[in-house]
Amino acid sequence: MKKLIFVGILGLFVLGSCNNSTVTHTHNEHDHATEGHNHEAEGSDHSHEGECSGEHNHEATDGHNESAEAHSDEIILPKAKAEAAGVKVSVIEPAPFQQVIKTSGQVLAAQGDESVAVATVAGVVSFRGKVTEGMSVGNGTPLVTISSKNIADGDPVQRARIAYEVSKKEYERMKELVKNKIVSDKDFAQAEQSYENARLSYEALSKNHSAIGQSITAPIAGYVKSILVKEGDYVTIGQPLVSVTQNRRLFLRAEVSEKYYPYLRTISSANFQTPYNNQVYELKTLNGKLLSFGKAAGDNSFYVPVTFEFDNKGEVIPGSFVEVFLLSSTMENVLSLPRTALTEEQGIFFIYLQLDEEGYKKQEVTIGADNGKSVQILTGVKAGDRVVTEGAYQVRLASASNAIPAHSHEH
């Protein structure tokens, strides 16, 4: 019974030693033999303190957390996967960069590169075969036939032929009479004038006339830009029918806000982006040049026109509205990146830095001027950084997959 009581007291003593942070002993309270016992007990207590406090376990855990935190923002993308995804990395270096005025504009056909086929007679329209916008045509290719058979005034070609034949006979008759002074020179001159007018009219109308009507041909070689009438429409003389363009040279007309007027003299070139393929074109690669800029705003407008001319390589559609990046004076030692290097999240822009062969880091940046191809970087990168310039979204997807841990260290 005494043994059980002693064991219980000893257990309470051990628990108390665990709860107390410090136990103080004085050597004066014990004799030498007792000190030996106490030292053993202290050794035993020290082992218990280690078990109770868990200091060793906490230190190991803290060290593991610090290591995890140091690498928590690193994105792992194996080299083989990066190459397959088209990820490309470039070293960023300072370089000249032109200031940009961003605005809107329109692509127009250049003067002399467009012509319109018009009706030479009044009548009903019928197309010669399939005439569609964008089709290629040669000079003189039949486009439209105009029939006047059922018109109240009759066939104008037939009327012109009759007028021509009558005036010709009258002219030849008076030509013989004027020799003998039977008719005056004045009457003969009037007859000759009537004959010449009738002849010109008949020759013009009969040139492209056939049994089915008057044929209207393409005035130049090029492409059908627009068809201005429909099958069965009634047209009058001089009415536009089909517009044909050669598309060799085009105009780029940009509309610039009045607040940029002081900078218009510094504009040297431009880039523009089309809405149908989102491609950015550089005028310097299209043999482009600045033609003029307006000296005043247009009527009922607060914009000043700036006009460029450039070669059309068959990819730009005349008449389309485009986004224009006017290039002004040059800035030196600017850090810039291609647009493909940027990703956007809720209005904030990010890039991806390459840390090593398979490691990447997401980096927030502040952007400046944008010329449609490249963007000025104000903060977030420095010269010499290795930046992902192509395949940034693939790295972004890899960062999303890395957010799900592949192995847990919790046991």
Side-chain angles (χ1 to χ4, degrees), residues 18-237:
C18 288
N19 293 329
N20 295 328
S21 59
T22 310
V23 178
T24 306
H25 298 284
T26 61
H27 289 284
N28 295 330
E29 294 176 358
H30 306 283
D31 57 16
H32 184 73
T34 309
E35 284 179 3
H37 173 73
N38 287 341
H39 281 302
E40 291 176 1
E42 286 172 5
S44 174
D45 289 345
H46 284 307
S47 64
H48 284 298
E49 285 175 5
E51 291 175 4
C52 294
S53 64
E55 291 177 359
H56 174 72
N57 293 339
H58 282 295
E59 289 176 359
T61 306
D62 291 343
H64 176 71
N65 288 342
E66 290 175 2
S67 176
E69 289 174 1
H71 299 282
S72 61
D73 59 347
E74 184 175 357
I75 303 166
I76 304 301
L77 182 62
K79 183 179 179 181
K81 290 186 177 180
E83 291 178 352
V87 175
K88 294 184 180 180
V89 177
S90 300
V91 178
I92 184 171
E93 296 291 347
F97 192 88
Q98 289 183 282
Q99 292 181 348
V100 180
I101 300 175
K102 190 175 179 181
T103 184
S104 60
Q106 187 178 16
V107 176
L108 304 170
Q111 295 175 355
D113 275 5
E114 186 173 325
S115 185
V116 179
V118 300
T120 55
V121 297
V124 179
V125 170
S126 61
F127 289 98
R128 297 287 296 272
K130 293 183 178 179
V131 179
T132 58
E133 294 181 352
M135 69 178 290
S136 177
V137 295
N139 187 7
T141 301
L143 299 175
V144 176
T145 297
I146 301 176
S147 175
S148 304
K149 287 183 177 180
N150 299 321
I151 303 302
D153 293 337
D155 190 340
V157 178
Q158 295 298 329
R159 288 189 286 108
R161 181 182 63 80
I162 294 171
Y164 164 69
E165 291 177 351
V166 170
S167 62
K168 182 180 180 181
K169 290 179 180 180
E170 181 65 13
Y171 166 71
E172 291 176 348
R173 185 183 71 84
M174 295 189 70
K175 187 177 181 181
E176 295 298 327
L177 295 175
V178 75
K179 293 177 182 180
N180 300 322
K181 303 296 182 179
I182 299 176
V183 296
S184 65
D185 292 339
K186 182 180 179 180
D187 292 339
F188 173 73
Q190 291 178 348
E192 183 177 19
Q193 181 182 3
S194 298
Y195 163 70
E196 290 296 335
N197 289 338
R199 181 181 65 83
L200 292 174
S201 178
Y202 175 64
E203 289 178 353
L205 292 174
S206 63
K207 183 178 179 181
N208 295 316
H209 186 73
S210 64
I212 58 175
Q214 188 74 10
S215 179
I216 307 299
T217 61
I220 59 174
Y223 302 89
V224 175
K225 176 184 177 182
S226 56
I227 300 174
L228 307 174
V229 293
K230 300 188 297 294
E231 183 83 17
D233 281 354
Y234 174 81
V235 295
T236 58
I237 297 176

Side-chain angles (χ1 to χ4, degrees), residues 398-410:
S399 68
S401 63
N402 288 348
I404 304 174
H407 176 70
S408 175
H409 292 281
E410 296 180 1

Side-chain angles (χ1 to χ4, degrees), residues 183-375:
V183 296
S184 65
D185 292 339
K186 182 180 179 180
D187 292 339
F188 173 73
Q190 291 178 348
E192 183 177 19
Q193 181 182 3
S194 298
Y195 163 70
E196 290 296 335
N197 289 338
R199 181 181 65 83
L200 292 174
S201 178
Y202 175 64
E203 289 178 353
L205 292 174
S206 63
K207 183 178 179 181
N208 295 316
H209 186 73
S210 64
I212 58 175
Q214 188 74 10
S215 179
I216 307 299
T217 61
I220 59 174
Y223 302 89
V224 175
K225 176 184 177 182
S226 56
I227 300 174
L228 307 174
V229 293
K230 300 188 297 294
E231 183 83 17
D233 281 354
Y234 174 81
V235 295
T236 58
I237 297 176
Q239 182 173 335
L241 303 176
V242 179
S243 173
V244 180
T245 180
Q246 292 179 332
N247 270 6
R248 292 182 302 186
R249 295 286 285 178
L250 297 174
F251 285 161
L252 173 64
R253 180 186 172 95
E255 301 290 343
V256 184
S257 174
E258 290 179 351
K259 67 179 181 179
Y260 296 114
Y261 184 78
Y263 306 101
L264 295 185
R265 294 183 182 276
T266 65
I267 293 173
S268 58
S269 186
N271 300 338
F272 66 93
Q273 184 176 17
T274 58
Y276 41 84
N277 60 7
N278 290 323
Q279 184 174 346
V280 177
Y281 295 91
E282 299 177 81
L283 292 189
K284 65 180 182 181
T285 64
L286 298 174
N287 193 26
K289 63 179 180 180
L290 174 65
L291 292 182
S292 65
F293 62 90
K295 305 302 184 293
D299 296 337
N300 302 321
S301 173
F302 298 101
Y303 294 92
V304 178
V306 180
T307 307
F308 300 85
E309 187 181 25
F310 64 96
D311 287 338
N312 184 15
K313 296 184 178 180
E315 299 175 353
V316 182
I317 301 174
S320 58
F321 290 90
V322 295
E323 190 174 10
V324 183
F325 306 88
L326 299 174
L327 305 181
S328 184
S329 55
T330 302
M331 301 179 289
E332 300 294 337
N333 298 320
V334 174
L335 296 178
S336 64
L337 289 171
R339 273 184 161 189
T340 52
L342 297 173
T343 60
E344 183 182 0
E345 298 178 20
Q346 298 180 348
I348 301 175
F349 292 91
F350 297 91
I351 62 166
Y352 292 91
L353 301 174
Q354 187 183 44
L355 304 178
D356 50 46
E357 190 175 60
E358 296 186 347
Y360 302 86
K361 177 185 176 182
K362 185 179 181 180
Q363 176 67 43
E364 180 181 344
V365 294
T366 305
I367 65 173
D370 179 359
N371 65 16
K373 286 248 180 182
S374 301
V375 179

